[in-house]
């Protein structure tokens, strides 16, 4: 496994932590199921119980921004007007490279896709650049056999779209802010939330869209 330990570890840990938090908040784990319909207050209590004694920077991250609030409110299936509002807001966050070149080095993109470094408890103060952790949710190259399946396989992604210019732009926007293509996406907003820089995003776009990338071999 090339990635940080947290790739397979974090899911187990998160599930255990959530279970414990649910119990602490007086909820049976099943109570979060959509049909049971927990109230916002119950959800807030679970979140608060899950992260006791955290510092201010982390505490701020527990407060959903407007997009997350709307997605939570509608169980990730907002009505049409809210769906469009989220999409429009997401589109307004996207910043393109000054020179208009959307692809960098796939070799570096592969390293970033492997790296789960950044924004974890142990990553403060940051000692190196954050990664994209794409393999936590996606299959990308045939060489890497350790990957998550929350997101679809991206193997052969560029080839699938004939390496078209529009597809390159769509990939850039997807990574920058996935709510443009799909409001209430479960994928992180790497550009909009400043997890990755524009240059890093270009390298990851190359991993997906460069014909020479192992993703397309
Ligand atoms: C927490 C899990 C998660 C992480 C991490 C993640 N993604 Fe995703 N991604 C998803 C999910 C879920 C979808 C499907 C829903 C959607 O399209 O938003 C998706 C969709 C996509 C799509 C669109 C696929 C299609 O059907 O056209 C692309 C491209 C993509 N991700 C690229 C990436 C890249 C590159 C990274 C790393 C920088 C990454 N993702 C990190 C969860 C994730």
């Amino acid at each position: 496994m090339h990635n940080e330990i947290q790739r397979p570890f974090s899911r187990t840990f998160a599930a255990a932590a959530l279970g414990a938090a649910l119990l602490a908040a007086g909820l049976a784990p099943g109570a979060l199921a959509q049909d049971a319909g927990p109230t916002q207050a119950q959800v807030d209590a679970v979140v608060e119980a899950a992260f006791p004694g955290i510092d201010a920077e982390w505490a701020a991250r527990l407060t959903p921004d407007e997009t997350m609030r709307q997605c939570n409110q509608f169980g990730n299936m907002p009505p049409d007007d809210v769906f469009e509002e989220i999409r429009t807001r997401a589109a307004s966050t996207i910043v393109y490279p000054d020179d208009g070149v959307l692809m960098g080095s796939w070799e570096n993109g592969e390293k970033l896709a492997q790296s789960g470094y950044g924004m974890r408890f142990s990553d403060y103060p940051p000692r190196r650049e954050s990664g994209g952790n794409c393999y936590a949710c996606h299959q990308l190259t045939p060489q890497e056999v350790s990957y998550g399946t929350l997101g679809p396989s991206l193997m052969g992604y560029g080839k699938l779209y004939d390496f078209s210019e529009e597809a390159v732009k769509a990939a850039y926007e997807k990574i920058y802010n996935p709510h443009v293509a799909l409001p209430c996406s479960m994928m992180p907003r790497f550009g909009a939330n400043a997890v990755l820089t524009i240059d890093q995003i270009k390298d990851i776009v190359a991993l997906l869209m460069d014909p020479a990338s192992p993703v397309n071999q």
Side-chain angles (χ1 to χ4, degrees), residues 52-167:
I54 48 173
D55 60 28
E57 184 176 0
W58 275 81
R61 283 166 60 186
L62 297 184
T63 306
D65 65 11
E66 186 60 5
T67 294
M68 289 294 105
R69 193 192 64 72
Q70 289 172 318
C71 292
N72 290 344
Q73 182 184 351
F74 297 106
N76 288 339
M77 287 180 290
D80 290 353
D81 56 333
V82 179
F83 190 89
E84 279 316 315
E85 194 186 318
I86 294 170
R87 188 201 294 284
T88 307
R89 183 187 304 122
S92 76
T93 66
I94 296 189
V95 178
Y96 298 91
D98 285 338
D99 61 2
V101 178
L102 299 182
M103 273 203 274
S105 137
W106 68 258
E107 287 93 339
N108 196 46
E110 166 65 7
K111 286 187 200 129
L112 292 167
Q114 292 278 1
S115 165
Y117 188 86
M119 301 177 103
R120 300 166 301 181
F121 285 104
S122 53
D123 297 336
Y124 291 93
R127 293 175 300 281
R128 50 193 169 94
E129 63 175 8
S130 294
N133 213 15
C134 315
Y135 281 102
C137 296
H138 295 284
Q139 180 180 32
L140 287 121
T141 63
Q143 288 80 11
E144 178 53 86
V145 296
S146 169
Y147 53 83
T149 54
L150 184 63
S153 171
L154 301 174
M155 211 154 69
Y157 198 72
K159 204 159 41 174
L160 186 70
Y161 290 99
D162 290 328
F163 306 106
S164 77
E165 227 174 279
E166 306 86 85

Side-chain angles (χ1 to χ4, degrees), residues 11 109 112-113 131-138 140 149-154 157 160-161 170-172 174-175 178-179 181-188 190 196 200-201 204-205 207-209:
R11 288 197 175 186
L112 292 167
N133 213 15
C134 315
Y135 281 102
C137 296
H138 295 284
L140 287 121
T149 54
L150 184 63
S153 171
L154 301 174
Y157 198 72
L160 186 70
Y161 290 99
Y172 182 90
K174 184 74 196 173
I175 299 167
H179 295 264
L182 182 69
C184 298
S185 168
M186 308 264 274
M187 180 166 147
F190 290 102
L196 298 173
Q200 289 178 310
I201 293 175
I204 299 174
V205 171
L207 176 68
L208 292 178
M209 302 305 297

Side-chain angles (χ1 to χ4, degrees), residues 188-213:
R189 293 166 283 179
F190 290 102
N193 282 347
V195 179
L196 298 173
T197 64
I198 286 180
D199 283 335
Q200 289 178 310
I201 293 175
K202 286 168 59 167
D203 290 345
I204 299 174
V205 171
L207 176 68
L208 292 178
M209 302 305 297
D210 189 326
S213 160

